[in-house]
Amino acid sequence: GTGSNILSALQDLFWLSKSKVEKQLQIISVLQWVLTFLVMGIACTLILMYILCTDCWAIAALYLAWLVFDWNTPKKGKYCRTILAWVRNWAIWRYFRDYFPIRLVKTHNLLTSRNYIFGYHPHGIMGLGAFCNFSTEATGVSQKFPGIRPYLATLAGNFRMPILRDYLMSGGICPVNRDSIDYILSKNGSGNAIVIVVGGAAESLNCTPGRNSVTLRNRKGFVRLALHHGADLVPVYSFGENEVYKQVIFEEGSWGRWVQKKFQKHIGFAPCIFHGRGLFSSNTWGLLPYSKPITTVVGEPITIPQIDNPSQNEVDFYHSIYVDSLIKLFDKYKSKFGLPETEVLEVN
């Protein structure tokens, strides 16, 4: 494949061993995603504004016209299937997977006659396991769950950024808002799986190596959506997601936590002070995540009835079932993926 050809060419050019070339390709693949996550949206916006002021302004104007015409596409979760399949199968995602490595574990079959909401936990700093498993084919999600179309839901603000929005949609990523979720679960047939990182920005503020903590007690909107559409709930836990970055944790009541919560409330994301390893050495600080294993376990689906206007008691009932299922999933697999039997999942 393309990845093998690139590997062979680099070996011939630099006389490097296969393992060293593979490691460098893994680092490059992860670095491009980290930079995409952090700066691509802002960078593309600035570049587009600059082009508008040059002799090539017509190119930027044409793109902006297309942007206006295509503005509502992210809400429908629709994208060209040929491009979608091509991007999701890029060789770069396999190098991305092998850097950590990332694995996807299936525990139960999913019926194509049903729709699903996957609750992904924990958020981590960047949700690397969520991206690799559900927005690419690197871990074989389509082979493990044939007939199921996954849509990773992320911050809606990302889809207002030029170029970035198209890049995200090409991997099957959609905005985490009511309009897009309603459309996919009600007007897109069956066999759809919306992947929601339930803890969101609030959960990212508490992620740190050695801590298994989820923000879930008061997160019930996804359960209400599941009841409204009759979509089954599926708990998903990613062991190792919190291990790949270290961050400064501000205590409740501190000025740092106050600033983070203000950003979260008004902008939608919480700025974290974090670091990983350096580009050339694992002993220095940098933006690259540490190469720690991430294993994402997809649990047993919880059958949900369709109730157009569920009461609070009905939402609370199915939410409690979901929380119990997530804890059971964590307890069942924790020892298999490096955690002691005494480890307890902290549910906030």
Side-chain angles (χ1 to χ4, degrees):
T2 305
S4 299
N5 294 336
I6 293 173
L7 184 61
S8 298
L10 288 174
Q11 280 183 260
D12 293 340
L13 182 61
F14 296 108
W15 297 91
L16 296 173
S17 67
K18 180 178 180 180
S19 61
K20 288 183 178 179
V21 174
E22 284 185 337
K23 187 61 179 177
Q24 294 307 311
L25 289 173
Q26 289 169 10
I27 289 173
I28 292 169
S29 68
V30 175
L31 180 62
Q32 68 82 28
W33 170 246
V34 170
L35 294 177
T36 295
F37 183 90
L38 295 176
V39 302
M40 183 177 179
I42 295 173
C44 288
T45 301
L46 294 175
I47 291 171
L48 196 66
M49 291 172 62
Y50 171 75
I51 293 175
L52 280 170
C53 301
T54 69
D55 293 339
C56 298
W57 63 269
I59 297 174
L62 283 172
Y63 177 79
L64 289 173
W66 161 254
L67 195 63
V68 173
F69 173 78
D70 195 54
W71 189 254
N72 289 322
T73 296
K75 296 180 181 179
K76 300 178 181 180
K78 286 189 172 182
Y79 205 74
C80 174
R81 287 289 164 187
T82 302
I83 295 177
L84 193 66
W86 176 60
V87 173
R88 288 174 63 91
N89 283 283
W90 278 351
I92 195 171
W93 306 132
R94 295 192 290 276
Y95 291 114
F96 183 100
R97 171 199 66 196
D98 293 339
Y99 173 86
F100 296 94
I102 296 174
R103 290 177 54 209
L104 180 64
V105 176
K106 169 186 174 180
T107 63
H108 292 79
N109 292 324
L110 298 180
L111 300 175
T112 57
S113 58
R114 300 285 293 172
N115 282 325
Y116 301 91
I117 293 180
F118 286 18
Y120 184 92
H121 312 270
H123 183 286
I125 295 292
M126 297 185 186
L128 295 164
F131 168 76
C132 185
N133 285 307
F134 301 112
S135 292
T136 82
E137 291 297 328
T139 56
V141 64
S142 293
Q143 286 72 45
K144 289 182 169 69
F145 300 104
I148 301 298
R149 296 182 295 275
Y151 298 86
L152 176 61
T154 188
L155 191 65
N158 289 326
F159 296 88
R160 301 187 188 102
M161 300 285 189
I163 310 300
L164 176 63
R165 67 187 291 276
D166 302 287
Y167 188 40
L168 295 177
M169 285 193 295
S170 69
I173 300 176
C174 67
V176 62
N177 59 32
R178 182 67 183 263
D179 288 342
S180 59
I181 293 173
D182 282 346
Y183 187 93
I184 292 170
L185 294 180
S186 64
K187 299 179 181 178
N188 200 40
S190 60
N192 303 293
I194 301 284
V195 184
I196 300 177
V197 186
V198 177
E203 191 172 85
S204 69
L205 298 178
N206 295 317
C207 72
T208 188
R211 184 177 184 182
N212 288 282
S213 171
V214 298
T215 301
L216 182 57
R217 289 292 180 196
N218 297 315
R219 299 294 176 107
K220 300 180 181 180
F222 73 105
V223 178
R224 188 177 294 276
L225 281 170
L227 285 165
H228 179 73
H229 293 286
D232 293 347
L233 289 170
V234 182
V236 179
Y237 197 84
S238 219
F239 294 90
E241 185 72 64
N242 284 347
E243 307 299 315
V244 296
Y245 279 110
K246 297 176 182 178
Q247 76 159 314
V248 177
I249 304 292
F250 293 101
E251 297 295 329
E252 289 292 340
S254 66
W255 67 270
R257 182 55 64 99
W258 180 84
V259 170
Q260 289 175 323
K261 287 188 173 181
K262 286 296 181 182
F263 265 83
Q264 178 192 335
K265 180 180 179 180
H266 297 292
I267 301 179
F269 74 93
C272 301
I273 300 177
F274 67 92
H275 74 85
R277 52 155 289 183
L279 182 60
F280 301 106
S281 172
S282 59
N283 296 321
T284 59
W285 288 12
L287 289 176
L288 277 177
Y290 294 103
S291 52
K292 304 287 185 179
I294 298 175
T295 305
T296 303
V297 184
V298 180
E300 181 178 4
I302 303 165
T303 302
I304 302 294
Q306 184 173 7
I307 305 173
D308 287 336
N309 295 297
S311 66
Q312 190 59 51
N313 286 337
E314 288 168 328
V315 172
D316 291 343
F317 174 73
Y318 285 101
H319 181 266
S320 66
I321 292 176
Y322 179 86
V323 173
D324 290 342
S325 296
L326 179 64
I327 293 172
K328 289 177 182 176
L329 179 70
F330 177 85
D331 289 340
K332 182 176 180 180
Y333 289 94
K334 60 186 178 184
S335 62
K336 294 182 180 179
F337 303 119
L339 297 178
E341 283 290 346
T342 54
E343 184 72 18
V344 175
L345 179 61
E346 180 184 338
V347 181
N348 300 311

